[in-house]
Amino acid sequence: MDNLQSAVEVNNEWGIVAARQAGRDLSRQIGFGNVDQARITTAISELARNIYLYANRGEIRLEVVEDTNNPRARRGIRVTATDEGPGIQNIRQVMVDGFTTSSGLGAGLPGVKRLMDEFTIDSEVGVGTTITATKWTR
């Protein structure tokens, strides 16, 4: 059962802050420990920052998800970042550690992928980008 918990519009620095806070609150509520809360918050921050830097506006959606295929029926948080920005021309290139098109550290999307348990990216040039990342409770 997927359950949308919040959707935060990102079109300025405050949107990044609001998305981070919503992710921290939700991850705490569903039982993530401090380390995983920090991982989720960092991933959200990076995704929201990318929306702001490259697309100007977009949305971070947070959902509580359940893994019914797992015998322990674990819960998780799914973060979906969507924008209608310029899209990513070379997904393989942006997934290389150290690659950056901004003045950032280049931890970017490869960092988000490492912080989370599942990661997918769908982008079309001139249309926009959707990135989905899920973290499961242990």
Side-chain angles (χ1 to χ4, degrees):
M1 176 188 100
D2 292 353
N3 186 3
L4 178 66
Q5 293 295 314
S6 63
V8 178
E9 194 171 315
V10 176
N11 56 18
N12 56 35
E13 303 264 345
W14 293 111
I16 300 171
V17 172
R20 281 177 59 95
Q21 192 58 52
R24 183 176 295 284
D25 293 346
L26 184 58
S27 61
R28 186 183 307 118
Q29 285 170 23
I30 57 177
F32 282 100
N34 288 336
V35 172
D36 279 338
Q37 286 177 37
R39 286 182 177 124
I40 292 163
T41 304
T42 301
I44 290 170
S45 183
E46 185 63 36
L47 292 170
R49 189 177 150 277
N50 283 352
I51 288 171
Y52 177 60
L53 284 177
Y54 301 112
N56 297 320
R57 67 178 335 108
E59 184 180 67
I60 299 284
R61 296 167 62 88
L62 304 173
E63 295 171 271
V64 175
V65 290
E66 289 185 29
D67 184 2
T68 52
N69 298 327
N70 189 309
R72 292 179 311 208
R74 62 192 175 157
R75 296 174 82 197
I77 185 169
R78 176 178 299 141
V79 180
T80 306
T82 55
D83 68 63
E84 293 175 4
I88 299 169
Q89 259 177 327
N90 187 336
I91 292 175
R92 214 177 300 141
Q93 186 181 40
V94 301
M95 292 308 295
V96 171
D97 273 315
F99 175 80
T100 181
T101 56
S102 71
S103 56
L105 299 173
L109 296 178
V112 171
K113 186 175 182 178
R114 278 193 302 275
L115 290 166
M116 304 294 276
D117 297 322
E118 296 172 13
F119 178 92
T120 59
I121 183 167
D122 181 35
S123 188
E124 195 175 329
V125 174
V127 176
T129 302
T130 299
I131 296 172
T132 305
T134 306
K135 187 77 171 168
W136 297 105
T137 53
R138 311 219 174 284

